Amino acid sequence: MKTLQGTGVALVTPFKEDKTIDVPALERLVHSQVENGVDYLVVLGTTAETPTLSTEEKELVKKTVKQANNGRLPMVLGVGGNNTQTIVEQVREVSPKDYIAILSVTPYYNKPSQEGLYQHYKAVAEATELPILLYNVPSRTGVNMDYRTTLRLAKEVPNIIGIKEASGNLVQIMHLLRGRKENFLVISGDDATALPTVLLGGDGTISVLGQAFPERYSQMIRQGLEGNYKEANTIQYQLLEAMELIFKEGNPVGIKALLSLLGVINTLEVRLPLVNATEGLQKELKAYLEYMRK
């Protein structure tokens, strides 16, 4: 699916100081992505703090992003969890008119076996006609989906069309790229290894940092896809410190602090159990922005 090549961004959910959703800030965030070269939007991914959002709040986020986007960019919806039956029921309700694919993270905490992961995704995919993007992020879920499981799903379940691979393990990524069937997407979910993944033959990224620097980040991925290694690497090294800083105190703590410093959103507020970025991290991010402006 060519519409999922390039740069997607996992949108944060901006909050007011009282921790309620800041709708105007979310609208502004969407406009900044659309107007600065991003290829698609990921709505209600884990970066959106979905575990702390109520059902009503999730509907508000979806409505706000849809209206702000106004059909300008394709949208992917995050639907994931560790109760397979619940996810099956949720994906049945997703409208193909609004979203081009569903992004679904591996079940967390349960620590399923590789066969358990296979059966989970098979059940989720069979509940919808929409394309499914697998999402492997072992640092958060406690389980790594082996590349053999991913390739088996790609081969045996028709509407599983790709994976957001956020293991950061380039050897695992190379196995995916070597063994994948034609048109199966390998998308980086890890900012630091996004460009290396693309240069190895991957299809792009679903980025956290990209929403802070949408034009520059999208250009980096685009240059990588076009084989312009020198140009892509130049941007990679400009952004490398930011890639590290935004994850220093957890996600989306760092990216929210950066977006607030840039004036894209109004506050750096996150919801418990996350806490706001420390003064130390904010100072480091300010110093980085001053360096970038030179």
Side-chain angles (χ1 to χ4, degrees), residues 114-145:
Q114 295 301 307
E115 182 63 24
L117 290 170
Y118 175 87
Q119 295 297 339
H120 167 82
Y121 276 120
K122 183 171 182 287
V124 171
E126 289 176 347
T128 178
E129 295 180 359
L130 275 165
I132 300 290
L133 281 176
L134 312 172
Y135 180 15
N136 184 41
V137 55
S139 64
R140 284 177 167 264
T141 63
V143 61
N144 178 57
M145 188 157 63

Side-chain angles (χ1 to χ4, degrees), residues 177-205:
L177 292 167
R178 184 181 69 170
R180 64 176 171 172
K181 68 176 186 179
E182 187 177 2
N183 297 324
F184 184 79
L185 299 165
V186 177
I187 297 168
S188 174
D190 174 59
D191 280 315
T193 57
L195 180 61
T197 298
V198 166
L199 296 180
L200 285 166
D203 296 282
T205 180

Side-chain angles (χ1 to χ4, degrees), residues 14-288:
F15 297 133
K16 300 176 185 177
E17 290 186 1
D18 65 0
K19 307 287 189 180
T20 60
I21 294 175
D22 189 337
V23 170
L26 181 54
E27 292 172 338
R28 192 161 62 247
L29 178 64
V30 171
H31 291 311
S32 72
Q33 308 310 304
V34 174
E35 294 163 5
N36 287 286
V38 163
D39 296 296
Y40 60 98
L41 305 174
V42 177
V43 184
L44 293 178
T46 49
T47 299
E49 295 175 78
T50 45
T52 71
L53 299 178
S54 68
T55 300
E56 293 76 19
E57 287 174 325
K58 289 177 183 178
E59 290 302 316
L60 176 59
V61 168
K62 289 192 286 186
K63 178 182 176 182
T64 301
V65 175
K66 179 182 176 180
Q67 289 179 345
N69 181 43
N70 195 26
R72 292 178 290 175
L73 289 181
M75 297 194 300
V76 173
L77 182 66
V79 185
N82 59 356
N83 183 331
T84 304
Q85 187 55 41
T86 298
I87 303 308
V88 164
E89 292 167 2
Q90 290 176 353
V91 298
R92 285 179 179 148
E93 303 300 318
V94 180
S95 170
K97 294 179 181 179
D98 294 332
Y99 302 98
I100 63 166
I102 290 169
L103 175 69
S104 195
V105 69
T106 54
Y108 42 82
Y109 188 79
N110 313 60
K111 298 191 78 170
S113 67
Q114 295 301 307
E115 182 63 24
L117 290 170
Y118 175 87
Q119 295 297 339
H120 167 82
Y121 276 120
K122 183 171 182 287
V124 171
E126 289 176 347
T128 178
E129 295 180 359
L130 275 165
I132 300 290
L133 281 176
L134 312 172
Y135 180 15
N136 184 41
V137 55
S139 64
R140 284 177 167 264
T141 63
V143 61
N144 178 57
M145 188 157 63
D146 188 89
Y147 71 88
R148 286 169 281 251
T149 303
T150 301
L151 296 176
R152 180 186 170 199
L153 284 162
K155 180 181 178 182
E156 298 178 6
V157 186
N159 61 327
I160 291 179
I161 62 158
I163 184 169
K164 177 185 176 185
E165 177 58 58
S167 65
N169 183 337
L170 287 174
V171 174
Q172 179 160 293
I173 291 165
M174 284 189 282
H175 278 295
L176 287 170
L177 292 167
R178 184 181 69 170
R180 64 176 171 172
K181 68 176 186 179
E182 187 177 2
N183 297 324
F184 184 79
L185 299 165
V186 177
I187 297 168
S188 174
D190 174 59
D191 280 315
T193 57
L195 180 61
T197 298
V198 166
L199 296 180
L200 285 166
D203 296 282
T205 180
I206 294 175
S207 172
V208 174
L209 182 63
Q211 63 198 303
F213 305 111
E215 184 175 11
R216 190 171 301 180
Y217 199 107
S218 298
Q219 183 183 8
M220 176 184 75
I221 297 300
R222 200 169 296 116
Q223 294 284 4
L225 288 169
E226 293 173 358
N228 299 323
Y229 307 135
K230 184 177 180 181
E231 294 86 346
N233 281 329
T234 297
I235 303 173
Q236 166 82 0
Y237 293 125
Q238 290 173 346
L239 296 177
L240 184 60
E241 184 180 357
M243 293 173 183
E244 296 175 323
L245 285 175
I246 63 168
F247 295 107
K248 191 173 183 180
E249 295 180 3
N251 185 44
V253 173
I255 188 61
K256 280 192 162 182
L258 181 56
L259 287 167
S260 67
L261 288 171
L262 289 166
V264 180
I265 63 177
N266 298 319
T267 76
L268 47 67
E269 296 292 333
V270 293
R271 284 181 175 174
L272 290 169
L274 298 178
V275 293
N276 294 349
T278 61
E279 288 291 334
L281 178 57
Q282 292 178 60
K283 285 182 180 179
E284 288 185 277
L285 289 167
K286 286 177 185 176
Y288 172 77

